[in-house]
Amino acid sequence: MLTSIDMLALLAVMLIGLPHGAFDGAIAFCLGMGRSTGRIVSFCIVYLVLAGLFVMVWSLSAVFALTCFVVLSIMHFGSCDAQAIANPFSGRMNRIFNICLVLTHGGIVTICLSYFHMQEVDRLFAVLAGDNAVLVTDFLGILWPVWLAGVALYGLAAVRHRGLILSLAELAILSGLMAVLPPLAGFAVYFCLVHSRRHFLSIFSAMRTILPVQIIVRTALGLTVATWLMAGAGYWIQTQYAVAIDEAVLRTVFILLAALTLPHMILVDGLFRPTMRKLLSL
């Protein structure tokens, strides 16, 4: 089912994109969770339990878990991109436009990609969550006009505030790439070259103000290897159920990615970024 381009895209996600979450260990140290062995062990346990619970939910209701993953992806990708954009508004309009930024940028590889490649995405989702996964693409189809409305509001804001033109151009270019590239290749391009790069640059620069580079790098390398070992175990489990190799690879990559997204978001978006904003405002 998967082409050589699809397999290369999944390999890029594993080797380039997924390891950006390996900085979560260093982030935990920055938040004071590494001050004792007990704290760091507790962090690891909570992190793995959250990931494990998501896998459990996936095994009980794959369609529900996939829908949650899509929504979390929109929020996480969008909030990461929004961090790099100067919101020109204030007060209530600031909050409204920030939602617009999260929706439009977060919807590039979810809403937009699904609309342009609905049949291909249907087939991929069916491998991940069964025949009822068409409900997830139907849900994304409902969000398509909402995404377009967000882009329209974005465009109107860029007319008034020229500083938004570059970010709007980025949105347009990436949306065009989603239209012409195969779904997995489009996802890999955004996840590896846009999201992971942007996440790395913003998080790494903030962590360097707290931790030595050596600790950051060693922690990231250790967790990267651990993630790859988890992927290997997941792939082996998939192959025990007579799943085709390409389907086993697809399920391994995205179920692992989905399982790690929840604890990653809680740590980065819920704890680290608010803490750094407070420190920088002092």
Side-chain angles (χ1 to χ4, degrees), residues 13-51:
V13 169
M14 286 300 302
L15 297 181
I16 302 173
L18 199 61
H20 85 274
F23 287 97
D24 286 0
I27 291 174
F29 273 86
C30 291
L31 293 171
M33 299 176 192
R35 293 175 182 172
S36 68
T37 303
R39 286 190 179 187
I40 196 63
V41 169
S42 297
F43 161 75
C44 292
I45 291 174
V46 172
Y47 198 98
L48 291 174
V49 165
L50 288 173

Side-chain angles (χ1 to χ4, degrees), residues 180-191:
V180 299
L181 291 175
L184 290 176
F187 177 83
V189 166
Y190 177 84
F191 188 62

Side-chain angles (χ1 to χ4, degrees), residues 51-199:
L53 285 174
F54 202 95
V55 173
M56 185 182 298
V57 171
W58 197 294
S59 67
L60 295 174
S61 179
V63 172
F64 175 74
L66 180 59
T67 303
C68 291
F69 176 50
V70 167
V71 173
L72 291 175
S73 297
I74 293 173
M75 294 169 60
H76 182 56
F77 292 159
S79 62
C80 182
D81 286 356
Q83 293 284 330
I85 301 170
N87 191 328
F89 299 100
S90 59
R92 183 179 180 184
M93 192 59 196
N94 176 283
R95 293 189 293 273
I96 293 174
F97 190 66
N98 193 61
I99 293 173
C100 174
L101 290 176
V102 171
L103 172 68
T104 52
H105 285 268
I108 292 173
V109 289
T110 48
I111 304 168
C112 188
L113 188 147
S114 177
Y115 177 80
F116 287 127
H117 304 281
M118 195 169 295
Q119 291 183 345
E120 295 95 324
V121 172
D122 270 340
R123 287 196 291 269
L124 294 172
F125 280 1
V127 173
L128 293 172
D131 294 336
N132 288 334
V134 67
L135 297 173
V136 184
T137 46
D138 288 345
F139 168 67
L140 290 171
I142 293 173
L143 292 181
W144 171 248
V146 181
W147 186 82
L148 287 178
V151 173
L153 177 61
Y154 204 156
L156 291 174
V159 171
R160 181 178 176 184
H161 301 279
R162 299 301 175 88
L164 295 172
I165 291 178
L166 285 179
S167 60
L168 183 61
E170 176 189 289
L171 181 74
I173 292 170
L174 289 173
S175 299
L177 285 174
M178 296 307 110
V180 299
L181 291 175
L184 290 176
F187 177 83
V189 166
Y190 177 84
F191 188 62
C192 298
L193 301 182
V194 179
H195 175 70
S196 294
R197 178 188 61 83
R198 185 165 281 158
H199 178 277

